[in-house]
């Protein structure tokens, strides 16, 4: 979230949009989409930010769901995905307006560098796109400028609140261990009627024996991954700490008893038998990553606590009938470098043709004038 402004400005400095469907729009983008404590948010800002999100999503989602993914119910809620995105963008704008109204209470505001970067991004973006695209994105100078100002202010508020957190992290809370383990399912088989058939004690003993064989081979070779592959199984290397909730509890308990370079006895977990090897009881890199994660959580909590309280107190009135006018009939994508080059080449060709035509007309006029002079003589 806090990197959104930087990413959006960077994209705008090179962005040239393409759109599908008919050109032109009859929507009144000056209409009020929502008001926050009496301050009106125009539909133009919602539409612009929404279309930019649409552009960013197009390359990711179209590959899997087709170009018209915005008109599909991807989440199974009964609403097309575009409406879900629209509601999310609206909520973000509401929050941005709340931030704008209260940022000065934190002593946060935009400076000359912010305004200069925004102005450059706006100018470049408007110049890079044709009038039809800008119209359908409701991307005039005022709209684009204010949306970028809101985004930049949000980042600055987040960064300020991030400086207010406790940066001390308990070593025991953050410490990470690294293990490699092999799992073997004990869930049983399924009969012709779809019923689960539990494994017999003999079959379970065979699984345990095979894992013990893998352990013996790994101890001899020093390579648990290869030993597991020789038995058509896979070894997984992962890190974990005291707060980990993803690993099987029995697996974790057995690993916690190990020293570096030790194997545990075969562990009976929930639906699996495990072979566990302790790579390191203290993984420095993973521990540092966990410390950073803890600090990021504290930053997000400080920001959310401040903002959520203000949003809850704010009077927010949404004009549903206005918002519902934003549909997803058109597809917005970012032009590829090749398409941009082709457009530039085509424009250059058109300009050359016009210049040649002008020169040809001038030559013809000169020739006619010369003929007239000769005739008079």
């Amino acid at each position: 979230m806090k990197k959104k402004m930087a990413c959006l400005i960077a994209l705008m400095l090179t962005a040239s949009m393409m759109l599908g469907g008919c050109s032109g729009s009859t929507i009144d983008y000056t209409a009020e989409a929502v008001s926050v404590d009496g301050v009106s948010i125009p539909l133009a800002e919602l539409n612009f930010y929404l279309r930019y999100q649409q552009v960013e999503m197009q390359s990711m989602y179209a590959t899997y769901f087709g170009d018209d993914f915005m008109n599909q119910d991807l989440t199974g809620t009964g609403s097309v995905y575009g409406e879900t995105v629209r509601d999310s963008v609206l909520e973000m704008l509401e929050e941005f307006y709340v931030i704008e109204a209260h940022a000065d209470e934190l002593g946060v505001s935009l400076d000359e560098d912010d305004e200069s970067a925004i102005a450059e991004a706006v100018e470049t973006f408007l110049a890079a796109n044709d009038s039809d695209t800008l119209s359908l994105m409701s991307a005039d100078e005022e709209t684009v400028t204010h949306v970028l100002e809101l985004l930049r202010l949000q980042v600055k508020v987040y960064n300020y609140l991030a400086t207010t957190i406790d940066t001390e992290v308990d070593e025991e809370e953050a410490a990470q261990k690294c293990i490699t383990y092999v799992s073997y399912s004990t869930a049983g088989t399924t009969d012709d009627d779809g019923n689960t058939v539990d494994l017999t004690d003999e079959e379970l003993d065979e699984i345990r024996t095979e894992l013990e064989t893998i352990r013996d081979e790994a101890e001899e070779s020093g390579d648990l991954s290869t030993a597991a592959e020789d038995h058509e199984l896979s070894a997984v290397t992962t890190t974990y700490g005291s707060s980990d909730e993803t690993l099987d509890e029995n697996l974790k308990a057995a690993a916690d008893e190990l020293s570096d370079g030790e194997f545990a006895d075969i562990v009976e977990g929930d639906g699996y038998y495990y072979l566990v090897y302790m790579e390191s009881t203290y993984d420095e890199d993973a521990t540092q990553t966990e410390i950073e994660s803890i600090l990021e959580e504290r930053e997000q909590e400080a920001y959310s606590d401040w903002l959520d309280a203000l949003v809850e107190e704010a009077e927010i009135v949404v004009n549903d009938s206005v918002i519902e006018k934003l549909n997803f009939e058109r597809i917005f994508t970012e032009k590829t470098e090749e398409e941009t080059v082709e457009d530039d080449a085509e424009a250059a060709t058109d300009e050359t043709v016009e210049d040649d035509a002008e020169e040809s007309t001038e030559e013809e006029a000169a020739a006619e004038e010369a003929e007239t002079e000769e005739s008079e003589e």
Side-chain angles (χ1 to χ4, degrees), residues 82-134:
E83 293 176 357
T84 302
V85 177
R86 185 182 64 200
D87 293 344
S88 176
V89 170
L90 177 63
E91 184 176 342
M92 282 191 285
L93 279 177
E94 292 167 358
E95 292 179 352
F96 292 163
Y97 267 72
V98 169
I99 291 170
E100 185 178 45
H102 295 276
D104 60 346
E105 298 169 8
L106 303 176
V108 177
S109 62
L110 300 183
D111 56 29
E112 291 184 4
D113 289 340
D114 297 321
E115 297 291 2
S116 176
I118 290 169
E120 181 184 357
V122 173
E123 181 179 359
T124 305
F125 177 77
L126 295 179
N129 292 281
D130 60 43
S131 59
D132 281 343
T133 302
L134 294 175

Side-chain angles (χ1 to χ4, degrees), residues 214-228 230:
I214 293 173
R215 180 183 62 193
D216 294 340
E217 294 173 359
E219 286 179 329
E220 183 176 346
S221 67
D223 189 344
L224 179 54
S225 293
T226 299
D230 290 343

Side-chain angles (χ1 to χ4, degrees), residues 50 57 63 130 188 210 245 290 313-314 340 374:
L50 172 62
M57 293 177 177
T63 302
D130 60 43
E210 185 167 6
E245 296 181 353
E290 179 65 15
E313 294 175 357
T340 302
E374 289 176 1

Side-chain angles (χ1 to χ4, degrees), residues 25-79:
S25 175
T26 58
I27 297 176
D28 178 11
Y29 291 120
T30 65
E32 181 181 282
V34 59
S35 67
V36 177
D37 285 332
V39 179
S40 179
I41 301 179
L43 188 62
E45 291 186 3
L46 172 59
N47 181 62
F48 170 69
Y49 198 26
L50 172 62
R51 300 313 174 192
Y52 226 103
Q53 296 293 331
Q54 190 174 343
V55 169
E56 290 186 324
M57 293 177 177
Q58 192 69 35
S59 60
M60 295 185 292
Y61 289 88
T63 302
Y64 302 100
F65 305 109
D67 287 339
D68 197 34
F69 71 91
M70 281 290 205
N71 284 309
Q72 300 176 37
D73 181 11
L74 301 183
T75 58
T77 60
S79 299

